[in-house]
Amino acid sequence: MSIDKATVAKIARLARIHIAEEKQAALASELSNILGWVEQLGEVNTDDVAPMTSVVEVRLPEREDVITDGDCRDDILANAPDTDGSFFVVPKVVE
Amino acid sequence: MGGLTELTLSEARAKLEQGEMSAVELTEAHIAALEAVRPLNAMITETPERALRMARESDERRAKGQAGALDGLPIAIKDLYCTKGVRTTAASNILGNFTPTYESTVTSKLWDAGAVMLGKTNMDEFAMGSSNMFSAIGPAINPWRRDNDKRDLVPGGSSGGSAAVVAARAALAATGTDTGGSIRQPAAFTGIVGLKPTYGRCSRWGIIAFASSLDQAGPLCRSVEDAAIMLGVMAGYDAKDSTSVDVPVPDYVAGLRGGVKGLRVGIPAEYRVDDMPEEIDALWRRGADWLAAQGAELVDISLPHTAYALPAYYIVAPAEASSNLARYDGIKFGLRSPSDDLAEMYERTRAEGFGAEVQRRILIGAYVLSAGYYDAYYLKAQKIRTLIARDFSAAFADVDVVLTPTAPSDAFAVGDKADDPIAMYLNDVFTVPASLAGLPAISLPAGLSGGGLPLGLHLIAKPFDEATLLRAAAALEEAAGFDARPPGGGS
Amino acid sequence: MSLMKGATGDWEVVIGCEVHCQVVSAAKLFSGAGTAFGAEPNTQVSLVDAAMPGMLPVINKVCIEQAVRTGLALGAEINLVSVFDRKNYFYPDLPAGYQISQFTRPIVGYGTLTLDGLEDGVSREIGITRLHLEQDAGKSIHDRDPRTTHVDLNRAGVALMEIVSEPDMRSAEEAGAFVTKLRSILRYIGSCDGNMEEGSLRCDVNVSVRRPGAELGTRTETKNVNSIRFIKRVIEIEARRQIEILEDGGRVTQETRLFDADKGETRPMRSKEESHDYRYFPDPDLLPLVLEQSWVDEIAKGLPELPDAKRARFIADYGLTDADTDQLVAERESADYFEAVAKGRDARIAANWVIHDLFGQLNRAEVEIGQSPVSASALGGLLDLIADGSISGRTAKDVFAEMFISGQDAAAIVEAKGLGQISDQGEIETMVDSLIADNPDQASQFADNPKVIGWFVGRIMQATKGKANPGLVNELLKRKLGE
């Protein structure tokens, strides 16, 4: 599958990574190569094959409904680039 | 003091037990060794004060008869493990000065066993790579040099820094992570032992996630016995990790010398790939012969979907990574590229913070999950995975372990393949299938290439059968008698 | 069929709701942080909720149980195998950059909810498409500072049940009734407290219009509507807005909108087309959830009597009207209260007192029935005093009001204030005789105008401050005046 500049721009937007205009074409080509290479999977018949979910048969582990965590605001905010001591602070969001 | 860094982990442990040296002496020797190998650029953060403090505490514990399984032994930690109070970067700019307020489960177990922390090792950014060239602090360098060639070589990746420090005798052992081969391939390139346990054997809690269904913690060491000792401490069920499996941890050292008489060793036809270097094929055959000479039975097997493993991996891993790396957004930790506009802040932070390979994989990942492509790519790859797992399952009905080469070449020069992502991906051709199937696998050094560089052999075993894996590896290690070393000091 | 009149003819309004219900549980869906409302910002946040590097989810078993209980209460299929998927998008209150939800295989499948008590008296069945479990997001606060948004992650990771209805509703009334009934069921089984002001229950309202019999029109989604009243208003506003557009020859844009209560209008949210590609895939940190049928059956056995069953039983066993029953069964606590009062007493009298007097006082005082100062047994005690003639019905009203304020029981108040009913035949007969003797003109009108008895009754009630037993008074007056 060949992807073009416009698709690169769209995926970059989805992934929130700014790709400079002048780099988009080269990236499109690179990604197209990779995608072309992985497409060989289409050769394999996978009708009636279930996607892999786990290596060995195990149940999803469950936790008890007790409060064991939280109340550690300082740890939560410790590494944030911008806080006011209580909240994370980000540029204004317009809804 | 020079001798102290020549010991294996197991030998050092014995000497500490016998009181022939103190943990502080052992640690000082390794701190000095690390300094000496700085040109390898293998460390992102060195923690000598912490190491010495831990060593002192270890000596105190030992004096009271309270020494643990790894007490006093200096090890290095891949910078993908969150270590409390010590900056953790994943070799990325996007984490900035992120300093975790928590300790990963696996490293907690190592410290609880008394191990000493030398520091955090270099790696490919977010574990994405097979060369350690894609790091925010620049490539790690292999302590090995090709005969008559001055060029720096890669130590392999992504756990390149861990492999380099162990090979350079600056750490007794190191932790790595293996997603598609990131412990085994660097072990092969640097002439050491690297083990990837069964998926779910070790906890992933506190290890920065790359591809959740593939990542596994594991040790890099200078002997199979060392790997068995390390695994015994690192492994174990963790209720905080829903993919951790509650299976008891056996004594991996106990059965190590059991030999391979009657062991059925599968030789998969499909691993004989086009353009396979003759010397690697020859080493593979030699390895098989060594095992046969010790009483193992060689069995030709077929793993029909082998060729599809790499492309399947390069769909699944980037897809999961694209989602796992969405949290790096400049809000809660790490780098922020300031802006008055939120969308711009996100986009510039991530563009500046992530290196090129990481960006490439995030974009591939977002693409293969996107509307209209999910079925053809991600779902398809997960189905191929089932087929690959079935291939192994069928083979394991007949054999106990599978023997293959570890890597399709010896270590290449820094800068090679940098512009050719697919060429880089092909480094993992032998290691990826075991990753996709979640099987335990190990690489051990078995010979030297024509250029004088280490070559590894690779064994794969059934789920949670690390005991058999290690036993077979020990037998191979003994037969191979690999005792070559990189030129002293590393530079 | 209820239709909206447009300028060029009638329109049918098609409505579907997606209701987000916060699960009643002590801890969050995938982490051990607490869920209580109103905590200081970022104090109910674990490392997992904040999506710190290396953190992993572990599912809370009570949240699973609550979802299954809710599914059973809706008569829905419980899917024994369900999968958690990641829904990927970027927003400051979504720390991981994805929400753990369920997309292709939710825990609960198709069910139904019956609406009674609609204006036209016809009962209606509304389909439930599915119910799934998902994480709630944190809160973004925009008005602390003009240039920045502040993020509180306390709510991030709290368990939500998203309940999706089929587009089966055709009017604001039906939608209001649907959410009201759903809320009632959730409160009955205790899986959600339904507190819309605190945000434990929020509704996304999907509205489209079409000519009767035509294909479905383009729908819009108005998000996070947090009261029944607003739900109805949104439907009316949106339907009107769409009808006007269509009648003018325009087309309705499929989009997400927000309700502005102050302005009384809906407006489009800032363009989110990119985020429609959520790139769902099964969360690799979790395995599929597999439930045992035997466990589900146990859960089913443990469910309390549900509103519809209770309603049917009240009508059959207590002989109450539909309207009265609806009021009593709306909340399980009210129903329980009523039954305690009605036990061993006249159910219809009990119902009247609960509905008119108790509910009336509670509403005025803005108190929930759980905090009623008058307990069921206390009210029962009051009704017993009426039944045995100790006080009159009229006095009882005053006594009740006093009970509500003071918390004392009826007997104590009657005693203290000397409000006991005068039922002594001799005493009343004396008063009647004397009143008739003093008012011969009125008395003589009785033969032609029996209604004049009312005047006599009134005088006696006045003289006794309402304490005379009215039955006795009437009986004696009739006899004496008739002589």
Side-chain angles (χ1 to χ4, degrees):
Chain A
M1 164 70 80
S2 199
I3 64 179
D4 55 10
K5 262 182 71 168
T7 307
V8 169
K10 209 177 77 161
I11 309 174
R13 184 87 246 284
L14 260 185
R16 296 294 189 278
I17 300 179
H18 172 77
I19 305 285
E21 166 95 38
E22 59 272 18
K23 297 218 170 107
Q24 286 174 9
L27 196 49
S29 159
E30 227 169 50
L31 299 180
S32 297
N33 278 342
I34 296 171
L35 289 167
W37 174 66
V38 302
E39 263 150 29
Q40 58 186 286
L41 295 187
E43 291 162 19
V44 184
N45 185 329
T46 53
D47 299 341
D48 304 326
V49 180
M52 183 142 169
T53 52
S54 64
V55 176
V56 287
E57 282 293 311
V58 250
R59 287 202 64 225
L60 176 64
E62 298 170 6
R63 66 189 307 143
E64 295 295 322
D65 183 30
V66 276
I67 299 176
T68 55
D69 228 326
D71 202 23
C72 55
R73 177 155 75 190
D74 292 341
D75 284 356
I76 297 297
L77 298 177
N79 284 283
D82 194 359
T83 82
D84 71 351
S86 303
F87 295 91
F88 295 96
V89 178
V90 304
K92 174 71 81 192
V93 180
V94 178
E95 272 192 345
Chain B
M1 191 176 88
L4 295 186
T5 59
E6 295 299 319
L7 305 166
T8 63
L9 183 107
S10 166
E11 287 165 351
R13 183 166 75 166
K15 284 196 192 296
L16 284 171
E17 278 165 8
Q18 259 116 62
E20 288 177 37
M21 66 187 174
S22 69
V24 170
E25 283 174 288
L26 184 61
T27 298
E28 281 170 344
H30 283 88
I31 290 172
L34 266 185
E35 269 182 49
V37 302
R38 279 210 188 118
L40 296 181
N41 198 33
M43 301 296 288
I44 297 180
T45 302
E46 289 173 34
T47 56
E49 280 111 35
R50 179 179 286 245
L52 286 169
R53 176 177 49 79
M54 291 169 92
R56 275 193 297 275
E57 286 167 3
S58 172
D59 284 331
E60 280 164 27
R61 276 193 298 275
R62 195 174 290 282
K64 292 192 213 143
Q66 291 165 358
L70 294 176
D71 234 294
L73 302 172
I75 63 176
I77 305 295
K78 183 175 187 178
D79 208 12
L80 200 58
Y81 291 69
C82 288
T83 42
K84 184 170 179 172
V86 178
R87 183 175 176 233
T88 299
T89 70
S92 178
N93 283 317
I94 207 161
L95 273 164
N97 282 315
F98 172 65
T99 302
T101 56
Y102 50 95
E103 186 81 36
S104 79
T105 295
V106 169
T107 49
S108 292
K109 288 157 96 69
L110 293 168
W111 313 142
D112 286 348
V116 169
M117 176 169 156
L118 290 169
K120 311 300 288 297
T121 63
N122 199 358
M123 49 180 280
D124 280 300
E125 186 183 359
F126 281 105
M128 298 184 198
S130 319
S131 66
N132 206 151
M133 289 195 307
F134 304 133
S135 161
I137 66 154
I141 310 293
N142 195 328
W144 290 80
R145 274 279 161 77
R146 191 181 292 282
D147 293 342
N148 307 312
D149 189 330
K150 284 205 172 57
R151 286 179 304 167
D152 285 339
L153 301 180
V154 300
S158 62
S159 312
S162 287
V165 296
V166 171
R169 272 80 177 151
L172 287 176
T175 63
T177 62
D178 191 309
T179 304
S182 292
I183 286 176
R184 294 164 285 159
Q185 184 253 27
F189 276 15
T190 56
I192 63 173
V193 174
L195 167 65
K196 181 197 87 69
T198 311
Y199 182 83
R201 176 77 280 186
C202 297
S203 168
R204 292 187 299 115
W205 194 90
I207 299 178
I208 297 179
F210 156 26
S212 314
S213 72
L214 295 158
D215 295 343
Q216 248 320 261
L220 290 104
C221 315
R222 294 201 288 275
S223 75
V224 174
E225 181 176 10
D226 287 356
I229 295 172
M230 285 286 285
L231 181 64
V233 176
M234 292 169 74
Y237 174 63
D238 183 5
K240 300 201 293 288
D241 174 355
S242 294
T243 59
S244 171
V245 181
D246 195 358
V247 168
V249 180
D251 179 348
Y252 291 118
V253 179
L256 214 48
R257 310 288 168 205
V260 294
K261 201 153 151 55
L263 190 78
R264 290 173 69 78
V265 179
I267 309 291
E270 293 82 2
Y271 278 62
R272 188 156 280 110
V273 298
D274 295 338
D275 311 329
M276 186 150 173
E278 171 52 34
E279 63 187 357
I280 291 189
D281 198 21
L283 180 67
W284 187 12
R285 269 181 271 118
R286 227 170 20 255
D289 292 341
W290 285 331
L291 287 172
Q294 293 186 50
E297 276 177 61
L298 303 178
V299 182
D300 285 324
I301 61 170
S302 174
L303 298 169
H305 297 92
T306 300
Y308 299 106
L310 257 185
Y313 175 83
Y314 279 99
I315 290 174
V316 173
E320 294 179 6
S322 73
S323 180
N324 284 330
L325 270 61
R327 67 191 60 195
Y328 303 102
D329 57 9
I331 294 179
K332 309 165 298 285
F333 35 77
L335 178 77
R336 177 190 292 197
S337 182
S339 168
D340 287 335
D341 177 71
L342 183 71
E344 194 186 50
M345 184 207 83
Y346 277 144
E347 295 198 4
R348 294 212 179 270
T349 296
R350 291 160 64 78
E352 285 164 28
F354 290 135
E357 179 63 23
V358 170
Q359 291 190 28
R360 215 173 353 246
R361 295 206 196 186
I362 290 176
L363 294 177
I364 295 266
Y367 184 79
V368 302
L369 289 175
S370 65
Y373 298 111
Y374 174 83
D375 283 3
Y377 289 105
Y378 188 79
L379 194 55
K380 186 81 178 178
Q382 287 287 70
K383 292 181 174 190
I384 300 282
R385 236 178 129 169
T386 297
L387 294 176
I388 289 170
R390 274 191 207 162
D391 284 355
F392 275 106
S393 222
F396 281 127
D398 192 28
V399 301
D400 305 304
V401 293
V402 172
L403 176 69
T404 80
T406 307
S409 74
D410 57 9
F412 49 90
V414 172
D416 280 2
K417 311 189 201 207
D419 296 327
D420 189 347
I422 296 178
M424 189 65 82
Y425 299 162
L426 289 171
N427 277 307
D428 294 331
V429 66
F430 300 132
T431 51
V432 155
S435 301
L436 289 176
L439 300 171
I442 190 168
S443 176
L444 57 136
L448 291 175
S449 69
L453 294 172
L455 295 174
L457 282 176
H458 182 242
L459 285 161
I460 308 169
K462 299 177 199 170
F464 298 100
D465 197 9
E466 283 84 356
T468 303
L469 184 74
L470 288 160
R471 176 161 58 88
L476 208 48
E477 177 186 55
E478 171 139 355
F482 181 90
D483 58 5
R485 304 202 31 197
S491 56
Chain C
M1 196 196 237
S2 71
L3 297 170
M4 256 193 191
K5 281 201 158 348
T8 63
D10 288 339
W11 293 86
E12 184 180 40
V13 185
V14 176
I15 302 146
C17 289
E18 285 163 28
V19 190
H20 293 89
C21 317
Q22 195 171 303
V23 173
V24 167
S25 65
K28 296 184 178 181
L29 181 55
F30 291 111
S31 91
T35 58
F37 181 80
E40 283 295 300
N42 290 306
T43 56
Q44 267 171 194
V45 183
S46 73
L47 299 170
V48 173
D49 303 320
M52 289 290 163
M55 291 300 101
L56 297 170
V58 181
I59 196 166
N60 178 331
K61 62 162 53 146
V62 162
C63 297
I64 299 171
E65 204 177 300
Q66 293 285 46
V68 169
R69 295 175 77 237
T70 306
L72 291 168
L74 294 171
E77 282 165 46
I78 306 300
N79 293 325
L80 296 181
V81 181
S82 65
V83 175
F84 288 97
D85 299 299
R86 292 189 186 178
K87 179 179 182 180
N88 299 279
Y89 65 95
F90 284 85
Y91 204 72
D93 63 18
L94 193 68
Y98 62 84
Q99 173 198 38
I100 302 178
S101 177
Q102 298 188 296
F103 185 55
T104 43
R105 303 181 70 181
I107 188 170
V108 172
Y110 193 81
T112 52
L113 188 146
T114 308
L115 300 183
D116 296 297
L118 294 170
E119 262 179 47
D120 62 4
V122 179
S123 168
R124 239 187 280 313
E125 271 207 355
I126 307 293
I128 304 281
T129 318
R130 53 184 269 158
L131 177 157
H132 70 255
L133 279 167
E134 62 180 26
Q135 296 174 309
D136 205 346
K139 273 214 174 91
S140 293
I141 298 155
H142 307 293
D143 53 11
R144 281 175 80 89
D145 181 284
R147 294 184 53 207
T148 57
T149 287
H150 286 61
V151 180
D152 171 14
L153 297 179
N154 279 349
R155 208 182 56 184
V158 169
L160 291 179
M161 292 178 292
E162 180 174 323
I163 300 175
V164 182
S165 82
E166 292 284 307
D168 287 348
M169 290 161 276
R170 294 290 175 271
S171 70
E173 188 207 6
E174 283 179 27
F178 171 79
V179 178
T180 301
K181 181 69 176 283
L182 179 63
R183 182 178 173 276
S184 170
I185 292 173
L186 295 170
R187 285 169 60 86
Y188 255 68
I189 65 176
S191 67
C192 173
D193 71 17
N195 188 327
M196 294 181 85
E197 292 82 49
E198 287 181 358
S200 341
L201 194 141
R202 328 191 277 265
C203 192
D204 293 346
V205 186
N206 293 310
V207 180
S208 70
V209 298
R210 64 179 172 186
R211 295 290 188 192
E215 296 261 304
L216 283 173
T218 306
R219 65 176 169 83
T220 62
E221 179 188 22
T222 303
K223 290 190 86 62
N224 291 330
V225 187
N226 64 354
S227 81
I228 308 285
R229 198 166 55 91
F230 288 168
I231 289 169
K232 295 188 203 177
R233 277 190 73 196
V234 162
I235 291 164
E236 270 152 16
I237 291 168
E238 252 315 277
R240 275 282 146 231
R241 189 185 70 86
Q242 293 186 15
I243 289 169
E244 270 177 38
I245 290 173
L246 293 171
E247 287 186 334
D248 278 347
R251 305 178 61 166
V252 173
T253 314
Q254 174 164 15
E255 63 191 355
T256 309
R257 300 176 74 88
L258 290 176
F259 177 55
D260 186 330
D262 298 326
K263 292 196 185 149
E265 64 180 27
T266 64
R267 55 182 169 77
M269 278 182 89
R270 183 171 150 183
S271 175
K272 282 171 72 181
E273 337 87 51
E274 315 91 354
S275 59
H276 284 333
D277 193 348
Y278 294 120
R279 288 153 284 140
Y280 288 99
F281 72 105
D283 193 324
D285 290 330
L286 297 166
L287 299 164
L289 178 63
V290 178
L291 306 174
E292 296 292 317
Q293 185 61 50
S294 58
W295 178 80
V296 174
D297 295 338
E298 276 303 303
I299 302 278
K301 285 199 201 124
L303 285 181
E305 185 183 38
L306 296 174
D308 287 349
K310 207 182 277 292
R311 188 177 189 272
R313 183 168 65 80
F314 277 20
I315 291 169
D317 293 357
Y318 295 112
L320 300 176
T321 63
D322 285 11
D324 280 356
T325 302
D326 285 341
Q327 291 219 55
L328 291 173
V329 304
E331 297 284 329
R332 184 174 162 191
E333 286 169 314
S334 310
D336 290 347
Y337 188 105
F338 161 73
E339 288 209 272
V341 176
K343 190 171 172 143
R345 301 188 181 94
D346 184 312
R348 267 179 263 207
I349 291 177
N352 278 331
W353 274 89
V354 170
I355 293 169
H356 301 297
D357 300 275
L358 178 69
F359 285 177
Q361 293 277 14
L362 290 174
N363 288 336
R364 262 192 297 280
E366 289 183 355
V367 167
E368 295 286 326
I369 195 166
Q371 274 76 51
S372 169
V374 181
S375 70
S377 71
L379 178 54
L382 177 66
L383 299 188
D384 291 340
L385 292 181
I386 302 172
D388 72 15
S390 306
I391 56 173
S392 69
R394 267 212 51 198
T395 309
K397 302 268 177 198
D398 298 333
V399 172
F400 183 75
E402 183 61 35
M403 285 166 80
F404 198 86
I405 297 167
S406 69
Q408 286 188 290
D409 69 27
I413 294 170
V414 166
E415 170 88 34
K417 298 202 171 178
L419 297 172
Q421 182 167 246
I422 301 168
S423 294
D424 179 70
Q425 176 132 344
E427 212 184 311
I428 295 183
E429 193 163 356
T430 310
M431 282 194 272
V432 165
D433 286 340
S434 133
L435 190 64
I436 291 176
D438 289 343
N439 297 278
D441 298 324
Q442 257 81 347
S444 65
Q445 288 173 28
F446 181 71
D448 301 313
N449 179 15
K451 286 207 182 128
V452 77
I453 195 176
W455 183 87
F456 284 91
V457 172
R459 293 301 298 275
I460 298 209
M461 294 313 268
Q462 237 183 341
T464 61
K465 295 195 190 5
K467 289 190 284 187
N469 181 322
L472 249 186
V473 170
N474 265 284
E475 190 201 312
L476 285 168
L477 277 169
K478 244 195 255 180
R479 187 157 40 96
K480 302 266 174 173
L481 286 171
E483 282 165 359

